[in-house]
Amino acid sequence: MNIMDFNVKKFAADAGTFLSRAVQFTEEKLGQAEKTELDAHLENLLSKAECTKHWTEKIMKQTEVVLQPNPNARMEDLVYEKLDRKAPSRLNNYEVLGQSMLDAGSEFGPGTAYGNALIKCGETQKRIGGAEQEFMQTSALNFLTPFRNFLEGDYKTISKERKLLQNKRLDLDAAKTKLKKARAAEARAAAEQELRVAQSEFDRQAEITRLLLEGVSSTHAHHLRCLNDFVEAQMTYYAQCYQYMTDLQKQLGSFPSSFSSNNNQPATTSVLNMSVPTVPASTSLTPVSSAVPSGFTELKGSTGTRVARVLYDYDAADSSELSLLADEDCISGNPARLCSLKSLSSSR
């Protein structure tokens, strides 16, 4: 029975305190009650802590986006983190690309130039993927974790003590208001005692809050070291990627130029551009190993016959040259074709 009476009294006292704070807060908002202002130093510390919290959250979120651009993957990692379970390992984009290149190279055959190049590119892409995985793990451990610890640890403690300080400040101002309204001597004595207790508790809470807020400077120093670690991790990652790509470029440069060129022509057709746009009438078309006009593309049929295809129209400057039309085919060593071309030139 005594325990029940104690609980009822405690509940009534708490309810009374809550009601007193609510009345004081409302009157302050309406401009009907005075408000005890915090000292300037404490206000500056509170502002600094709030600013630190804001930018820590923003930097942490953007870093997470950089380390894991896929929002679905980030959400999955967050769920596993909340469940206190380890997220399953997954291949990153570079590793997926590298594996695709390796599979394609094996399909085309390592003995072919294209297949060999695909395999080398695939191996390099997988190395880059491994470097990215290491970069992500290092950054998460040395950069994101300290930022998250501040938000979920130190700042939560600061917020809790700041809220207590706000409540003690409301109690103090309510006690001051109560003293002003007291008329009887006994009521004034009780109000003065209540004010002294409220003032003492407010000062004590203000000191606790101040000590916690001053620790934010140490947080800045710690985050600076974490930032240096993050930059160093980035430097290592990009240096590895540069080295991998430099090695790959050297390996690809060792392939024959006929395999490394990209001319968008079928592999069964050998394509050469020529350098001179005129064909003397007295000269037969030269074989592939000789100089050929730049206005032609030389084609080699299945029978070994060499054919020069005209790329653009050309008007003969005199009787020693041939006038040619685009897309005409000139068969090397075929006098009939050359004669017909010369007749065409004369008719023009």
Side-chain angles (χ1 to χ4, degrees), residues 163-299:
K163 185 176 180 181
L164 284 175
L165 178 62
Q166 172 73 356
N167 290 336
K168 297 301 181 183
R169 201 270 307 161
L170 289 172
D171 292 342
L172 175 62
D173 290 336
K176 290 179 179 179
T177 301
K178 187 176 181 179
L179 179 60
K180 288 181 180 179
K181 294 179 179 179
R183 295 291 181 264
E186 183 177 348
R188 287 186 63 84
E192 288 175 353
Q193 177 62 26
E194 184 178 343
L195 178 59
R196 284 193 292 270
V197 173
Q199 184 69 58
S200 175
E201 292 181 353
F202 172 77
D203 293 341
R204 177 176 175 276
Q205 186 59 39
E207 182 64 17
I208 293 174
T209 306
R210 182 185 64 80
L211 291 174
L212 288 173
L213 291 172
E214 288 177 347
V216 173
S217 296
S218 299
T219 299
H220 284 191
H222 180 48
H223 286 183
L224 175 58
R225 292 193 295 271
C226 296
L227 183 61
N228 288 330
D229 292 340
F230 178 64
V231 172
E232 184 176 349
Q234 280 186 308
M235 290 175 59
T236 301
Y237 168 60
Y238 290 124
Q240 286 177 323
C241 292
Y242 176 78
Q243 186 60 50
Y244 293 152
M245 296 308 298
T246 300
D247 294 342
L248 175 62
Q249 187 181 43
K250 292 178 180 178
Q251 293 175 16
L252 294 181
S254 64
F255 292 158
S257 59
S258 60
F259 293 119
S260 61
S261 64
N262 181 18
N263 47 33
N264 297 323
Q265 296 292 337
T268 58
T269 303
S270 176
V271 181
L272 296 174
N273 288 329
M274 305 167 213
S275 57
V276 183
T278 62
V279 182
S282 60
T283 306
S284 299
L285 296 178
T286 59
V288 179
S289 59
S290 304
V292 215
S294 64
F296 300 96
T297 298
E298 185 171 346
L299 306 175

Side-chain angles (χ1 to χ4, degrees), residues 286-288 298-308 331-333:
T286 59
V288 179
E298 185 171 346
L299 306 175
K300 184 175 182 181
S302 58
T303 61
T305 303
R306 299 186 182 278
V307 179
I331 302 176
S332 175

Side-chain angles (χ1 to χ4, degrees), residues 25 64 72 95 108 185 265 273 275 294 326:
F25 182 80
E64 289 174 344
N72 295 330
E95 291 173 323
F108 292 129
Q265 296 292 337
N273 288 329
S275 57
S294 64

Side-chain angles (χ1 to χ4, degrees), residues 49 154-163 212-213 216:
D154 294 349
Y155 190 79
K156 279 190 174 181
T157 302
I158 290 173
S159 298
K160 178 182 177 182
E161 297 300 329
R162 182 179 182 178
K163 185 176 180 181
L212 288 173
L213 291 172
V216 173

